[in-house]
Amino acid sequence: MLSDQGGRLVYRYDAEEVWVEAWGENSLRVRATKTAHMPVEDWALQKPAPAATDISILPDSASISCGKIKAVITKQGKLSIYNSNGNILLEEYTRNRRDLLDPKCSAIEVEAREFKPILGGDYHLTTRFESLDPKEQIFGMGQYQQPSLDLKGHDLELAHRNSQSSVPFALSSRGYGFLWNNPAIGRAVLGKNTMSFEAFSTKVMDYWVVAGDTPAEIEEAYAKATGTVPMMPEFGLGFWQCKLRYQTQNELLEVAREYKRRKLPIDLIVIDFFHWPKQGEWKFDPVYWPDPDAMVRELEEMKIELMVSIWPTVDKKSENYHDMLEMGYLIRVDRGVRTGLDFEGETIHFDATNPAARKYVWSKAKDNYYSKGIKVFWLDEAEPEYTAYDFDNYRYHLGPNLAIGNIYPREYARAFYEGMEAEGQGNIVNLVRCSWAGAQKYGSLVWSGDIASSWASFRNQLAAGLNMGIAGFPWWTTDIGGFHGGDPNDAHFRELFVRWFQWGAFCPVMRLHGDREPRQPQQGTTGGASCFSGAANEVWSYGPEVYEICKTYMLIREELRDYTRGLMREAHERGTPVIRPCFYVFPYDAACWEIEEQYMYGDKYLCAPVMKFGQRKIKVYLPVLKSGTWSLLNGHEIYTGGSEVEVDCPLETMPVFVKQEAT
């Protein structure tokens, strides 16, 4: 049965009910359930602005149109989505014999919306679509540790892990954007024969789709639907210094003083984990950090912002554990011992999906950090990270991890954003290791987690950063040099470090971090001292040649400050990625849709990171310009767009081309 219910197209058959409705300009939201009532959660989506719609009910089908998008559903329940030119964008994959005259009538009996009952519980949902064009390209979907920018043909786990963020928004070369609006653990198969999205435990199918003529139009519509980042504060535009880990207050201050002595630009320095007595105490250990107020004051005088690490884990021996247990503020398990992570203690995470737990943790951070003038936080372990990723074992305030677990990092970021906002702070940014759709509006700056210090890992980060931007997170960064390993005295690693540092100057946030070899001697025997510190990781730690290169690129970053601020404003106002695949800026140039190893920093700088050991020449494709020419940064030779050039890339240089406007 098909009907128009207050501007919403509704289909009913047996136990299933399907809703199709406008959700913003040129956008539709599609929901289906086999429960008694349609679930009310909006998850990643914000309430939309009103949009004009047209619903038509015919004997064999019904349609709903909203601007450039139109959905048609047959009386048998098959749904297809078109753009305003009549081109089909999405078509459900269904193979059955309900309509014997359908050209795709089949005896294999596969449903497009398969609600497979979980005995005694909800449903394992699979939603299937035709793969209408084997040459379709798909971008976004979050951050996965693999080198492909184009995700067509990929099989993706819809779950978070350390260095993996599932943000299930896909931008298609065929002119649509698709958000799988379901925080359940699941799977996405972007195949060349079919495409499918799965939720392993859910009550509802829920997705949002938009039609647009350019990637930018689609991306900006998605940002309106899910929210945009705040305006990046000034300290987010320059260089950030970090390592695993500064063990004492004096050690950190000496590093900050040395940057100032050398007259190097630095905006922020980080106190990493285990500065606390025990996990879940969210305060400085006075043995190693005796006077945080004086430390903050001195850093303020040097005009260096201080960031501190927060972990969501609560040690069972910590001072807050029993109170949090009694109040129901901790994640539960359905079987086994209630331990989530056994790193440096037996711990369980606070339940960020519980509003009261969010307020409790923020109150501790407010009293012990924020009150001292610390206004930016590093929200680590945000997936959350488990010793064993048994997604079916954990249970949260909002429900089973299997059904809602992907929302955890968003709620973690929300805890601090709302707390800081309540204190009157604007332009909030917090570094978060993982995220999910919609968390950008809570000031989430995502970084790519604990990655290897290797050339292959370096290559993966380029794809990760570009796809995270498309997935709605213009604020993104990585550990320059990688996280695991890397000896500053090793010549091979030094080259990797240089190339990563050069690229870092043209990332949304330029942040140096890593766990370097060899380990430093342990300072102290109590509290967090058992967590050893890595070798020195400051720019002068890599020898004089590397130091001079780092200095050059730190100064380049400073020269770009005004330009970068403009990019951050675009991100805040329109949701525009800071780093952009070439096709995003030049969608009319077919060659740009095939480029995966170069990108745009804004719409002016074409960057070609050097990602191979020993490489000293590189080929760069210069996109077609509607007007103007290209030139190398700090170079004089003029190049015409639409051609490939080979340029030198000695160790001290990463090729960057500048788009020169016609005069």
Side-chain angles (χ1 to χ4, degrees):
M1 182 172 67
L2 295 162
S3 61
D4 177 352
Q5 296 189 7
R8 174 187 292 148
L9 178 59
V10 177
Y11 166 83
R12 287 196 183 95
Y13 183 83
D14 196 9
E16 185 186 37
E17 184 168 331
V18 179
W19 291 0
V20 187
E21 59 194 311
W23 206 272
E25 188 179 4
N26 307 320
S27 308
L28 296 171
R29 184 181 183 186
V30 181
R31 284 178 279 181
T33 190
K34 289 192 174 182
T35 61
H37 304 284
M38 188 69 71
V40 299
E41 293 86 0
D42 288 329
W43 299 123
L45 293 172
Q46 303 183 130
K47 295 299 182 185
T53 60
D54 179 60
I55 294 178
S56 174
I57 309 290
L58 301 174
D60 293 328
S61 65
S63 65
I64 178 171
S65 299
C66 175
K68 296 179 180 180
I69 197 167
K70 177 181 180 180
V72 177
I73 188 166
T74 69
K75 68 178 182 179
Q76 289 83 19
K78 181 178 177 179
L79 181 70
S80 302
I81 295 176
Y82 300 81
N83 64 17
S84 55
N85 297 322
N87 299 322
I88 190 164
L89 301 176
L90 285 168
E91 177 185 355
E92 287 187 332
Y93 178 95
T94 182
R95 297 293 187 271
N96 56 41
R97 289 184 282 193
R98 289 185 188 173
D99 183 357
L100 298 178
L101 300 180
D102 187 336
K104 294 175 181 175
C105 170
S106 172
I108 65 174
E109 293 298 328
V110 175
E111 296 300 321
R113 303 182 298 272
E114 181 185 358
F115 286 88
K116 184 177 181 180
I118 299 169
L119 189 62
D122 294 329
Y123 295 91
H124 181 138
L125 168 68
T126 305
T127 301
R128 300 181 176 92
F129 298 98
E130 302 279 356
S131 184
L132 297 169
D133 181 357
K135 295 182 179 179
E136 178 183 23
Q137 295 164 292
I138 294 176
F139 308 93
M141 293 300 291
Q143 171 181 278
Y144 292 87
Q145 294 303 320
Q146 50 82 37
S148 300
L149 181 62
D150 176 12
L151 299 173
K152 185 67 170 178
H154 284 55
D155 185 337
L156 304 175
E157 180 186 47
L158 300 182
H160 306 314
R161 297 173 184 260
N162 185 339
S163 77
Q164 174 177 298
S165 291
S166 172
V167 188
F169 174 74
L171 187 152
S172 169
S173 59
R174 301 186 65 251
Y176 69 87
F178 177 94
L179 171 68
W180 180 247
N181 189 37
N182 192 320
I185 306 300
R187 180 186 184 193
V189 179
L190 309 176
K192 291 183 179 292
N193 56 339
T194 66
M195 298 196 301
S196 63
F197 288 80
E198 289 181 66
F200 292 163
S201 179
T202 192
K203 292 179 172 65
V204 63
M205 182 194 77
D206 188 347
Y207 63 83
W208 175 88
V209 61
V210 60
D213 297 329
T214 65
E217 182 182 5
I218 293 167
E219 191 72 22
E220 290 171 19
Y222 171 55
K224 287 180 181 178
T226 59
T228 61
V229 292
M231 180 60 193
M232 178 64 80
E234 193 67 21
F235 64 76
L237 307 181
F239 173 74
W240 291 12
Q241 171 62 45
C242 186
K243 63 158 287 187
L244 186 153
R245 64 182 180 89
Y246 296 119
Q247 298 182 75
T248 68
Q249 178 174 324
N250 186 61
E251 181 186 8
L252 178 127
L253 286 173
E254 275 302 311
V255 169
R257 293 164 187 152
E258 183 63 19
Y259 270 99
K260 289 300 178 179
R261 279 194 288 266
R262 292 171 180 261
K263 295 182 171 53
L264 294 172
I266 177 173
D267 278 54
L268 182 144
I269 195 166
V270 183
I271 298 175
D272 201 350
F273 63 176
F274 292 93
H275 63 267
W276 47 69
K278 290 188 183 300
Q279 294 174 72
E281 294 186 348
W282 301 298
K283 65 181 182 181
F284 289 107
D285 187 333
V287 174
Y288 310 102
W289 307 87
D291 195 348
D293 298 272
M295 173 178 61
V296 172
R297 284 196 302 272
E298 182 174 347
L299 290 169
E300 286 178 346
E301 290 169 2
M302 290 189 279
K303 295 183 170 52
I304 299 175
E305 200 75 24
L306 178 63
M307 172 186 280
V308 297
S309 170
I310 301 288
W311 272 35
T313 46
V314 182
D315 194 303
K316 294 179 182 181
K317 296 179 181 179
S318 68
E319 63 185 16
N320 296 318
Y321 175 76
H322 290 290
D323 285 347
M324 296 183 75
L325 179 64
E326 181 178 354
M327 291 184 287
Y329 293 169
L330 302 172
I331 289 173
R332 292 165 285 153
V333 296
D334 285 356
R335 60 186 184 273
V337 178
R338 194 172 181 176
T339 297
L341 188 68
D342 60 1
F343 178 72
E344 294 289 332
E346 190 177 348
T347 70
I348 189 68
H349 308 74
F350 95 90
D351 187 349
T353 74
N354 184 334
R358 293 198 296 269
K359 290 180 180 178
Y360 178 91
V361 172
W362 166 249
S363 72
K364 298 294 182 182
K366 175 185 171 183
D367 291 345
N368 297 320
Y369 301 122
Y370 196 85
S371 65
K372 300 179 186 303
I374 297 166
K375 302 296 174 66
V376 55
F377 296 93
W378 179 358
L379 306 181
D380 208 342
E381 296 289 309
E383 299 79 20
E385 182 176 13
Y386 293 115
T387 296
Y389 288 99
D390 293 328
F391 297 116
D392 62 344
N393 190 32
Y394 299 99
R395 189 170 293 270
Y396 303 153
H397 177 77
L398 279 184
N401 181 39
L402 210 60
I404 58 90
N406 283 335
I407 208 165
Y408 185 96
R410 192 192 80 169
E411 300 302 276
Y412 186 16
R414 181 181 181 182
F416 280 74
Y417 180 88
E418 290 182 344
M420 296 160 78
E421 187 179 48
E423 295 300 311
Q425 185 173 341
N427 298 340
I428 295 165
V429 55
N430 290 311
L431 184 66
V432 189
R433 197 170 71 187
C434 181
S435 213
W436 192 71
Q440 66 273 9
K441 64 177 175 283
Y442 295 127
S444 294
L445 161 60
V446 182
W447 101 95
S448 59
D450 296 349
I451 53 175
S453 294
S454 69
W455 291 93
S457 176
F458 179 29
R459 175 64 185 85
N460 290 346
Q461 303 326 300
L462 178 59
L466 292 172
N467 274 324
M468 275 297 279
I470 295 297
F473 286 84
W475 291 357
W476 180 88
T477 187
T478 183
D479 295 352
I480 289 176
F483 177 73
H484 286 297
D487 184 343
N489 297 307
D490 177 71
H492 187 278
F493 177 66
R494 285 183 177 184
E495 180 165 337
L496 172 65
F497 178 84
V498 163
R499 294 308 194 185
W500 212 313
F501 198 94
Q502 292 167 338
W503 176 58
F506 291 87
C507 281
V509 169
M510 185 183 189
R511 170 179 163 271
L512 176 55
H513 184 55
D515 183 13
R516 301 291 171 246
E517 299 293 340
R519 292 288 190 274
Q520 290 184 333
Q522 180 175 330
Q523 296 190 31
T525 58
T526 61
S530 60
C531 182
F532 283 66
S533 172
N537 190 47
E538 293 72 47
V539 294
W540 54 83
S541 307
Y542 293 81
E545 181 185 17
V546 173
Y547 172 71
E548 291 300 324
I549 296 171
C550 290
K551 184 177 178 180
T552 295
Y553 278 83
M554 293 168 78
L555 294 174
I556 288 173
R557 179 75 181 197
E558 279 301 299
E559 291 169 3
L560 291 171
R561 184 174 284 267
D562 290 345
Y563 177 78
T564 302
R565 189 185 304 111
L567 299 185
M568 295 300 182
R569 186 163 299 283
E570 290 178 35
H572 168 55
E573 294 176 351
R574 304 202 303 272
T576 311
V578 175
I579 56 174
R580 306 165 188 177
C582 289
F583 69 77
Y584 192 95
V585 181
F586 309 102
Y588 53 83
D589 186 343
C592 285
W593 290 86
E594 308 300 325
I595 292 172
E596 299 211 350
E597 294 195 354
Q598 59 188 64
Y599 69 98
M600 297 295 296
Y601 186 67
D603 62 2
K604 182 178 180 180
Y605 295 97
L606 174 65
C607 303
V610 182
M611 293 178 288
K612 294 177 181 176
F613 178 72
Q615 185 172 5
R616 297 296 182 263
K617 289 184 178 292
I618 192 169
K619 292 181 179 179
V620 181
Y621 176 76
L622 303 177
V624 173
L625 299 176
K626 293 182 177 179
S627 64
T629 56
W630 293 100
S631 67
L632 273 168
L633 182 67
N634 299 323
H636 303 289
E637 188 173 352
I638 300 300
Y639 300 88
T640 303
S643 61
E644 184 180 77
V645 298
E646 184 176 63
V647 294
D648 293 332
C649 54
L651 183 61
E652 62 271 15
T653 302
M654 182 186 89
V656 175
F657 288 81
V658 185
K659 186 171 67 173
Q660 305 289 352
E661 300 295 340
T663 57

